[in-house]
Amino acid sequence: MPNSNSKKFDRLASLYVMNAMSKTEKENFENQLKTDQELRKLVRECKATLDSAKEAIRFKINAEYLQGQRNLLRGRIEQIENVRSGSRIFSDLQDKASSILSHLVFGR
C-alpha cells in the first residue's frame, strides 16, 4: 500500500518542477529540499521525466522517418526468416548425413 506521504511528495515535486506553486509553497518546499536527499532525488526524476516529455512532443515524425522504420522492420523480419530457413536447411543436411552414415555403417 503506497505511503500517503510519498504521494504528497510526488505531487509537490511535480508542482515544483512545473513551476506551479505559489511563492510561499515554493519557499517552504525549497527549505525542505535543502535537508531531504530523497526529495531532491525525486525532484531530479520529475525534471528528467518532464524534459523527456517535452522532447517527445517536439519530435516530429515525418514520412521519411516512418519509411525508414518500415525498412528496418522489414530487414529484421527477413533476417529472422533467413535464420529460420538456415536452421531448417542445416537440420535437413544433418538428417541426410545421418542417413548416409547409417547406410554406410550398417548397410541399411
Side-chain angles (χ1 to χ4, degrees):
M1 180 172 214
N3 184 349
S4 63
N5 276 338
S6 70
K7 284 184 180 182
K8 175 186 170 191
F9 287 128
D10 286 345
R11 183 180 159 279
L12 289 173
S14 297
L15 291 172
Y16 179 76
V17 168
M18 293 185 295
N19 202 22
M21 290 180 154
S22 70
K23 184 178 178 180
T24 307
E25 289 173 323
K26 186 175 180 180
E27 287 172 0
N28 291 338
F29 188 77
E30 287 174 343
N31 286 333
Q32 242 180 324
L33 276 176
K34 291 176 186 174
T35 60
D36 192 333
Q37 184 176 352
E38 287 298 314
L39 192 54
R40 285 193 301 270
K41 180 181 174 190
L42 183 60
V43 167
R44 280 193 306 273
E45 290 171 357
C46 285
K47 282 182 182 178
T49 302
L50 184 61
D51 290 344
S52 295
K54 285 179 182 178
E55 186 62 33
I57 290 169
R58 276 189 235 127
F59 185 72
K60 302 290 183 197
I61 296 177
N62 58 28
E64 281 181 8
Y65 176 80
L66 289 175
Q67 188 59 46
Q69 293 301 307
R70 285 185 203 106
N71 291 340
L72 289 171
L73 183 57
R74 283 187 193 110
R76 182 67 179 130
I77 290 169
E78 187 176 316
Q79 191 178 40
I80 290 169
E81 288 173 351
N82 288 341
V83 167
R84 286 182 181 162
S85 80
S87 295
R88 279 188 241 122
I89 291 170
F90 180 73
S91 178
D92 291 344
L93 287 173
Q94 204 173 18
D95 290 343
K96 288 179 185 177
S98 178
S99 175
I100 291 170
L101 283 174
S102 178
H103 181 70
L104 291 173
V105 173
F106 301 111
R108 299 188 216 159

